[in-house]
Amino acid sequence: MSHCSVYVVAALLVVALSTAPVCSELIGLYEDTDLMEILDNTNFNEKVLQGNTSYVIEFYNAFCGHCIRFSTPWKGFGIQVYGWRNYVKVGVIDCSNELNSQICRDYEIMAYPTIRYFYPQPASNDIGKDFIRSFNIQVMKDSLIKMLQETQKNMSISTLCDIQPYEKVNVELDTNNFLTFIIIDKSNNRLAQELVIDFCPVEKVKIISALNSNTELVDLLKTEIYPSLYLVENNNQFKLLASGNNKTNFTNTINKYLETVYMTPFNIIDITTALNNLLFQKEKSSIHHDNTVYLSDLEATLRYSLEHEILSRSVISGESLNALNSYLELLIEFFPSNIRSKKFIKLIWDNTHLNKTVSGDKLGKFINSYEYLLKPYVTNHIWIGCEGSQPMYRKYPCGLWTMFHTLTVHASNKNLTTFNGKQVLETIAGYIKHFFGCTDCSEHFMSMATTIQTNVSSFDDAVLWLWSAHNQVNRRLKGDVTEDPVHPKIVFPLKVHCETCYQNGTDEWNKTEVLKYLKNMYSTISVRKIPFNNIHSQPLNLINSSKRSIDDDINYNNNIFDEKEWMFDINTCMVSYILSCIVLITLFYLLVKKRCKKNKYIYFILGK
């Protein structure tokens, strides 16, 4: 290999390494045993865009409390329609996984959970049809049947039995079928179509669905109760078998007739099958309980916020863009970071605040490139204080509360004239409204936020308002399926942590002491970099961020550069880089020229 080839390979290797994506922690609420398609960036196109079946897909966020809560009925829904998988598949994709971010952005997922229905082999620009989200499984089944009916009417689903309403009067028997049934039902009920789909895989059995609007057929059958199930014995000869809206009765009746023609009864999946239990247990000794605020949690929250939640929008404009700029300004002023982190956030703000619209994709590339250049994070941005007993618990929601508390306290400590208490909270509310992925959580927070105008007039008021709001949420979610069983929701601070926060030993708050407690808690930040291995571990490297910045802490002389080194503009970096390239090119040219004169050939450049 020539010298030139070596240089090219080395250069390509450097570029590849610098642009390689960072693998994120894979987190999900579903497993293969949940009888649904687990979709991701590696199989989405193959299964959904190139597959031969319809899809109904939940786009979810593993950190979203409402998504955790909704996962139980969605699993039940997946079990109940699993027998329909030849015609429609139920899928899930975790948008909290950075590897799936582009898919969720392409399909314009603005809130979680979002459910979309897709026709077989949809176009790449087809973002699907909105699908109803309900904790009532039957409601979702009825909605799916309606969409399958529309799909069958508009395009071919060759394997699905006819679920269109039967509009003829005469019912002619097909000699290829051993049994033919007809069900008369009302237009607002889907039992007949549901049974048609259930029994569609059974060969030589046909079920016809008709509506009571087919008056001639109704008169012929003399139907009085809906739905009613009939056996077609001969042409236009019918035998009433069952009536009433009872699927089990209808299914058992059909199965009895299968036995009469020596056919094995059709077994539908037992819908009482126990769902996977979300509440896993973990050794309590591995969980650390304290009120310490960890910089690692704050940086993990900041990174997920900037590089995932905000970037989930394909286009950011209008109110959302204003909310983003205000959020970045708040972070620049009050996030407890080093000079590199502040520079990083400031560069993002420079890139957004003068624009009327911002592309999520372009902003993502900008953020990723400058994260690589500036290395803005002090820690490894992993969860420590907000680590849950299982991957779906705590983490980002816990980190977001922690970061918001930290911002309000630092704003109060700095007492800048460029901000006030209301602005701090309104900025937080703006982020929650436009970017926080959990729709249910966002709506609850915005409902509480209506009291900001009348209850907040100072920075200290903002600290106490957010504390009160957090406790309201903890009361509401206590005992909820989203609650980590190892970390139950509590009203904080507990007496064991702040006895003076309670008036004279009662349960009434002493807000003056509560304010002192909150300011001390969220001003003193641990720069510990690794999780705890046991409950007896103590937080290390505590700093009081209200008194000095993280850059000044003696424990970080080896982890961040001197402040003066990072007080230059990024343009200076680019100029230096360009000049260096020019010098290297010049030296290379001189070297080549010298060797050419000596050898009188240039073949050595190309290799022999």
Side-chain angles (χ1 to χ4, degrees):
M1 182 182 288
S2 68
H3 293 84
C4 183
S5 301
V6 172
Y7 297 151
V8 170
V9 171
L12 290 175
L13 181 60
V14 170
V15 171
L17 290 174
S18 66
T19 58
V22 178
C23 293
S24 61
E25 181 184 11
L26 295 178
I27 300 173
L29 302 178
Y30 301 91
E31 298 174 343
D32 293 336
T33 55
D34 290 320
L35 303 183
M36 57 181 63
E37 297 289 328
I38 310 297
L39 302 171
D40 55 36
N41 65 315
T42 65
N43 62 16
F44 190 92
N45 289 350
E46 177 186 355
K47 291 191 174 185
V48 180
L49 302 187
Q50 301 170 20
N52 295 319
T53 66
S54 297
Y55 262 89
V56 55
I57 300 171
E58 180 200 9
F59 296 81
Y60 74 95
N61 184 313
F63 297 124
C64 166
H66 193 58
C67 296
I68 296 173
R69 199 176 298 114
F70 181 70
S71 64
T72 298
W74 191 247
K75 288 177 182 180
F77 173 69
I79 289 174
Q80 291 207 21
V81 301
Y82 183 70
W84 304 0
R85 61 191 178 279
N86 290 332
Y87 332 113
V88 60
K89 291 184 173 68
V90 177
V92 292
I93 184 167
D94 182 7
C95 293
S96 70
N97 185 336
E98 292 180 16
L99 299 177
N100 299 328
S101 294
Q102 187 62 51
I103 292 177
C104 298
R105 183 161 54 242
D106 290 343
Y107 285 89
E108 300 179 12
I109 306 303
M110 302 296 184
Y112 304 105
T114 290
I115 305 177
R116 299 269 177 82
Y117 174 84
F118 294 87
Y119 292 117
Q121 298 183 350
S124 58
N125 61 349
D126 182 356
I127 64 170
K129 298 182 67 174
D130 286 332
F131 188 86
I132 189 170
R133 186 183 73 225
S134 175
F135 280 77
N136 186 320
I137 295 175
Q138 188 59 49
V139 169
M140 292 193 288
K141 286 180 72 175
D142 289 347
S143 180
L144 179 57
I145 292 169
K146 183 179 178 180
M147 288 190 166
L148 285 173
Q149 183 179 339
E150 292 175 359
T151 303
Q152 188 180 63
K153 187 175 181 179
N154 297 328
M155 61 186 300
S156 173
I157 306 182
S158 57
T159 56
L160 179 59
C161 298
D162 189 4
I163 57 175
Q164 305 301 320
Y166 189 76
E167 296 179 347
K168 299 178 181 178
V169 178
N170 298 323
V171 180
E172 297 181 358
L173 292 175
D174 187 337
T175 56
N176 292 323
N177 295 323
F178 291 158
L179 294 170
T180 300
F181 301 91
I182 186 167
I183 302 173
I184 309 293
D185 205 349
K186 294 181 179 180
S187 59
N188 61 351
N189 198 25
R190 301 284 175 182
L191 176 60
Q193 293 166 311
E194 186 174 337
L195 287 168
V196 172
I197 301 173
D198 282 346
F199 282 88
C200 188
V202 183
E203 296 180 357
K204 299 187 180 299
V205 173
K206 182 178 182 180
I207 300 177
I208 299 170
S209 169
L211 298 177
N212 62 344
S213 57
N214 187 341
T215 55
E216 292 186 68
L217 182 60
V218 169
D219 291 341
L220 179 65
L221 298 175
K222 299 179 181 180
T223 306
E224 297 180 353
I225 301 174
Y226 302 100
S228 288
L229 169 68
Y230 297 86
L231 173 68
V232 183
E233 295 180 315
N234 293 301
N235 291 350
N236 284 350
Q237 297 295 315
F238 308 95
K239 179 180 180 181
L240 178 63
L241 301 180
S243 296
N245 198 28
N246 188 324
K247 181 183 177 181
T248 302
N249 186 27
F250 278 39
T251 300
N252 291 339
T253 301
I254 294 172
N255 274 332
K256 286 180 182 178
Y257 274 85
L258 293 182
E259 292 176 346
T260 64
V261 291
Y262 305 106
M263 295 181 66
T264 303
F266 180 63
N267 293 319
I268 301 174
I269 291 178
D270 181 10
I271 63 175
T272 62
T273 300
L275 299 176
N276 289 328
N277 186 3
L278 290 178
L279 301 180
F280 302 96
Q281 294 296 325
K282 188 174 183 179
E283 291 296 327
K284 291 189 178 183
S285 60
S286 65
I287 304 298
H288 188 82
H289 297 275
D290 64 42
N291 285 339
T292 306
V293 177
Y294 296 94
L295 182 62
S296 188
D297 288 328
L298 295 175
E299 291 191 334
T301 302
L302 177 64
R303 187 171 188 268
Y304 187 84
S305 168
L306 294 177
E307 300 182 25
H308 188 87
E309 284 218 305
I310 291 171
L311 300 184
S312 66
R313 306 294 188 266
S314 57
V315 176
I316 307 171
S317 61
E319 287 187 13
S320 296
L321 185 55
N322 291 336
L324 172 59
N325 289 326
S326 296
Y327 175 61
L328 293 172
E329 291 167 6
L330 190 69
L331 293 172
I332 292 168
E333 292 292 349
F334 305 122
F335 187 83
S337 56
N338 60 28
I339 192 66
R340 289 174 296 173
S341 181
K342 288 188 181 295
K343 185 69 176 178
F344 177 57
I345 301 169
K346 178 65 165 54
L347 284 168
I348 299 172
W349 180 80
D350 288 340
N351 187 257
T352 63
H353 81 283
L354 294 178
N355 296 317
K356 292 184 178 180
T357 61
V358 173
S359 164
D361 184 53
K362 290 182 179 178
L363 181 60
K365 292 177 181 177
F366 180 88
I367 290 174
N368 289 336
S369 64
Y370 279 100
E371 180 184 347
Y372 174 76
L373 287 171
L374 294 177
K375 304 293 189 296
Y377 301 112
V378 172
T379 70
N380 296 322
H381 41 78
I382 58 176
W383 306 108
I384 299 179
C386 284
E387 175 68 13
S389 62
Q390 287 295 317
M392 74 281 292
Y393 293 133
R394 307 186 81 218
K395 291 187 170 66
Y396 182 64
C398 166
L400 202 59
W401 277 115
T402 304
M403 185 174 76
F404 288 160
H405 284 300
T406 302
L407 292 174
T408 60
V409 166
H410 285 210
S412 181
N413 290 337
K414 287 191 174 183
N415 197 27
L416 299 179
T417 57
T418 52
F419 276 89
N420 60 52
K422 286 181 181 178
Q423 286 177 310
V424 172
L425 292 179
E426 286 170 352
T427 298
I428 290 172
Y431 177 86
I432 293 294
K433 178 180 179 180
H434 294 285
F435 298 106
F436 188 45
C438 178
T439 308
D440 185 56
C441 310
S442 176
E443 290 173 352
H444 279 288
F445 189 90
M446 295 311 297
S447 176
M448 294 188 296
T450 58
T451 65
I452 292 174
Q453 284 294 329
T454 55
N455 292 317
V456 177
S457 59
S458 67
F459 285 116
D460 286 351
D461 288 342
V463 174
L464 290 172
W465 184 93
L466 191 66
W467 159 75
S468 178
H470 194 171
N471 274 336
Q472 286 183 50
V473 173
N474 283 349
R475 290 189 187 96
R476 180 172 61 85
L477 296 180
K478 185 174 179 59
D480 189 80
V481 67
T482 62
E483 183 182 54
D484 189 334
V486 180
H487 296 273
K489 301 291 184 184
I490 62 169
V491 175
F492 79 105
L494 296 171
K495 287 184 180 180
V496 67
H497 294 139
C498 182
E499 189 172 352
T500 59
C501 291
Y502 295 81
Q503 292 184 358
N504 301 322
T506 67
D507 290 333
E508 296 296 322
W509 294 111
N510 182 338
K511 291 188 177 180
T512 301
E513 293 299 318
V514 170
L515 182 62
K516 291 180 182 178
Y517 173 85
L518 294 172
K519 283 192 170 185
N520 180 66
M521 176 178 174
Y522 292 102
S523 294
T524 307
I525 298 176
S526 171
V527 289
R528 184 185 184 101
K529 291 186 174 182
I530 58 175
F532 294 96
N533 294 322
N534 61 74
I535 196 170
H536 302 295
S537 299
Q538 296 298 319
L540 302 175
N541 305 332
L542 292 176
I543 62 170
N544 191 317
S545 56
S546 65
K547 295 180 180 178
R548 65 184 191 275
S549 71
I550 292 171
D551 293 287
D552 298 326
D553 190 69
I554 191 170
N555 297 296
Y556 270 83
N557 287 339
N558 295 325
N559 297 290
I560 57 176
F561 295 126
D562 187 85
E563 182 173 336
K564 293 181 181 179
E565 187 176 346
W566 285 93
M567 288 303 291
F568 52 78
D569 190 87
I570 195 66
N571 291 330
T572 307
C573 292
M574 297 305 296
V575 171
S576 300
Y577 175 75
I578 293 170
L579 290 174
S580 298
C581 290
I582 293 172
V583 171
L584 289 173
I585 292 171
T586 302
L587 291 174
F588 182 76
Y589 170 76
L590 294 174
L591 176 63
V592 170
K593 186 177 180 181
K594 182 178 179 180
R595 294 194 64 176
C596 284
K597 286 182 177 180
K598 182 177 180 180
N599 300 321
K600 298 181 180 181
Y601 294 102
I602 198 151
Y603 299 116
F604 75 95
I605 296 176
L606 301 176
K608 294 182 179 180

Coordinates of all heavy atoms in Angstrom, one line a residue, residues 405-431:
H405 N -36.3 22.0 39.7 CA -36.1 22.5 41.1 C -34.8 23.2 41.2 O -34.6 24.3 41.8 CB -36.1 21.4 42.1 CG -37.5 20.8 42.4 ND1 -38.5 21.6 43.0 CD2 -38.0 19.6 42.3 CE1 -39.6 20.9 43.1 NE2 -39.3 19.7 42.7
T406 N -33.7 22.7 40.6 CA -32.4 23.3 40.6 C -32.4 24.6 39.9 O -31.8 25.6 40.4 CB -31.4 22.3 39.9 OG1 -31.4 21.1 40.6 CG2 -30.0 22.9 39.9
L407 N -33.1 24.7 38.8 CA -33.2 26.0 38.1 C -33.9 27.1 38.9 O -33.4 28.2 38.9 CB -33.9 25.8 36.7 CG -33.2 25.0 35.7 CD1 -34.1 24.7 34.5 CD2 -31.9 25.6 35.2
T408 N -35.0 26.7 39.5 CA -35.7 27.7 40.3 C -34.8 28.2 41.5 O -34.8 29.4 41.8 CB -37.0 27.2 40.8 OG1 -36.8 26.0 41.7 CG2 -38.0 26.9 39.7
V409 N -34.1 27.3 42.1 CA -33.3 27.6 43.3 C -32.1 28.5 42.9 O -31.8 29.5 43.5 CB -32.8 26.4 44.0 CG1 -31.7 26.7 45.0 CG2 -34.0 25.7 44.8
H410 N -31.5 28.1 41.8 CA -30.3 28.9 41.3 C -30.8 30.3 40.8 O -30.0 31.3 41.0 CB -29.6 28.2 40.2 CG -28.8 27.0 40.7 ND1 -27.7 26.6 40.0 CD2 -28.9 26.2 41.7 CE1 -27.1 25.6 40.7 NE2 -27.9 25.3 41.8
A411 N -32.0 30.4 40.2 CA -32.5 31.7 39.8 C -32.7 32.6 41.1 O -32.4 33.8 41.1 CB -33.8 31.5 39.1
S412 N -33.2 31.9 42.1 CA -33.4 32.7 43.4 C -32.1 33.1 44.0 O -32.0 34.2 44.5 CB -34.2 31.8 44.4 OG -34.5 32.5 45.6
N413 N -31.1 32.2 44.0 CA -29.8 32.6 44.5 C -29.1 33.7 43.8 O -28.5 34.6 44.3 CB -28.9 31.3 44.5 CG -29.3 30.3 45.5 OD1 -30.0 30.6 46.5 ND2 -29.0 29.0 45.3
K414 N -29.2 33.7 42.4 CA -28.6 34.7 41.6 C -29.3 36.0 41.6 O -28.8 37.1 41.5 CB -28.4 34.2 40.2 CG -27.3 33.2 40.0 CD -27.0 32.9 38.6 CE -25.8 32.0 38.4 NZ -25.5 31.8 36.9
N415 N -30.7 35.9 41.7 CA -31.5 37.1 41.7 C -31.2 38.1 40.6 O -31.1 39.3 40.9 CB -31.4 37.8 43.1 CG -32.5 38.7 43.4 OD1 -33.7 38.6 42.9 ND2 -32.3 39.7 44.2
L416 N -31.2 37.6 39.4 CA -30.9 38.5 38.3 C -32.1 39.4 37.9 O -33.2 39.0 38.1 CB -30.5 37.6 37.0 CG -29.2 36.7 37.2 CD1 -29.0 36.0 35.9 CD2 -28.0 37.5 37.6
T417 N -31.7 40.5 37.4 CA -32.8 41.4 36.9 C -33.4 41.1 35.6 O -34.4 41.5 35.2 CB -32.3 42.9 36.9 OG1 -31.2 42.9 36.0 CG2 -31.9 43.4 38.3
T418 N -32.6 40.2 34.8 CA -33.1 39.8 33.5 C -34.2 38.8 33.6 O -34.8 38.4 32.5 CB -31.9 39.2 32.7 OG1 -31.3 38.2 33.5 CG2 -30.9 40.3 32.3
F419 N -34.4 38.2 34.7 CA -35.5 37.2 34.9 C -36.3 37.6 36.2 O -35.8 38.3 37.0 CB -34.9 35.8 35.2 CG -34.6 35.0 33.9 CD1 -33.4 35.2 33.3 CD2 -35.5 34.2 33.3 CE1 -33.0 34.5 32.1 CE2 -35.3 33.5 32.1 CZ -34.0 33.7 31.5
N420 N -37.5 37.0 36.3 CA -38.2 37.1 37.5 C -38.9 35.7 37.8 O -38.8 34.8 36.9 CB -39.3 38.2 37.5 CG -40.3 38.0 36.4 OD1 -40.9 36.9 36.3 ND2 -40.5 39.1 35.6
G421 N -39.4 35.5 38.9 CA -40.0 34.2 39.3 C -41.0 33.7 38.4 O -41.0 32.5 38.0
K422 N -41.9 34.6 37.9 CA -43.0 34.1 37.0 C -42.4 33.7 35.7 O -42.8 32.6 35.1 CB -43.9 35.3 36.7 CG -44.9 35.6 37.9 CD -45.8 36.7 37.5 CE -46.8 37.1 38.7 NZ -47.7 38.2 38.4
Q423 N -41.4 34.4 35.2 CA -40.7 34.0 33.9 C -40.1 32.7 34.0 O -40.1 31.9 33.1 CB -39.7 35.1 33.5 CG -40.3 36.4 33.0 CD -39.2 37.4 32.7 OE1 -38.3 37.6 33.5 NE2 -39.3 38.0 31.5
V424 N -39.4 32.4 35.1 CA -38.8 31.1 35.3 C -39.8 30.0 35.2 O -39.6 29.0 34.4 CB -38.0 31.0 36.6 CG1 -37.5 29.6 36.9 CG2 -36.9 32.0 36.7
L425 N -40.9 30.1 35.9 CA -41.9 29.0 35.9 C -42.7 29.0 34.5 O -43.0 27.9 34.1 CB -42.9 29.3 37.0 CG -42.4 29.1 38.4 CD1 -43.5 29.4 39.5 CD2 -41.9 27.7 38.6
E426 N -42.9 30.1 33.9 CA -43.6 30.1 32.6 C -42.7 29.5 31.6 O -43.2 28.8 30.6 CB -44.0 31.6 32.2 CG -45.1 32.1 33.0 CD -45.4 33.6 32.8 OE1 -44.5 34.2 32.2 OE2 -46.4 34.1 33.3
T427 N -41.4 29.7 31.7 CA -40.4 29.0 30.8 C -40.5 27.5 31.0 O -40.5 26.7 30.0 CB -39.0 29.5 31.0 OG1 -39.0 30.9 30.7 CG2 -38.0 28.8 30.1
I428 N -40.5 27.1 32.2 CA -40.6 25.6 32.5 C -41.9 25.1 31.9 O -42.0 24.0 31.3 CB -40.5 25.4 34.0 CG1 -39.1 25.7 34.5 CG2 -40.9 24.0 34.4 CD1 -38.9 25.6 36.0
A429 N -43.0 25.8 32.2 CA -44.3 25.4 31.7 C -44.3 25.4 30.1 O -44.9 24.5 29.5 CB -45.4 26.4 32.2
G430 N -43.6 26.3 29.5 CA -43.6 26.3 28.0 C -42.9 25.1 27.5 O -43.3 24.5 26.5
Y431 N -41.8 24.7 28.2 CA -41.1 23.4 27.8 C -42.0 22.2 27.9 O -42.1 21.4 27.0 CB -39.8 23.2 28.6 CG -39.1 21.9 28.2 CD1 -38.3 21.9 27.2 CD2 -39.4 20.8 28.9 CE1 -37.6 20.7 26.8 CE2 -38.8 19.6 28.6 CZ -37.9 19.5 27.5 OH -37.4 18.3 27.1

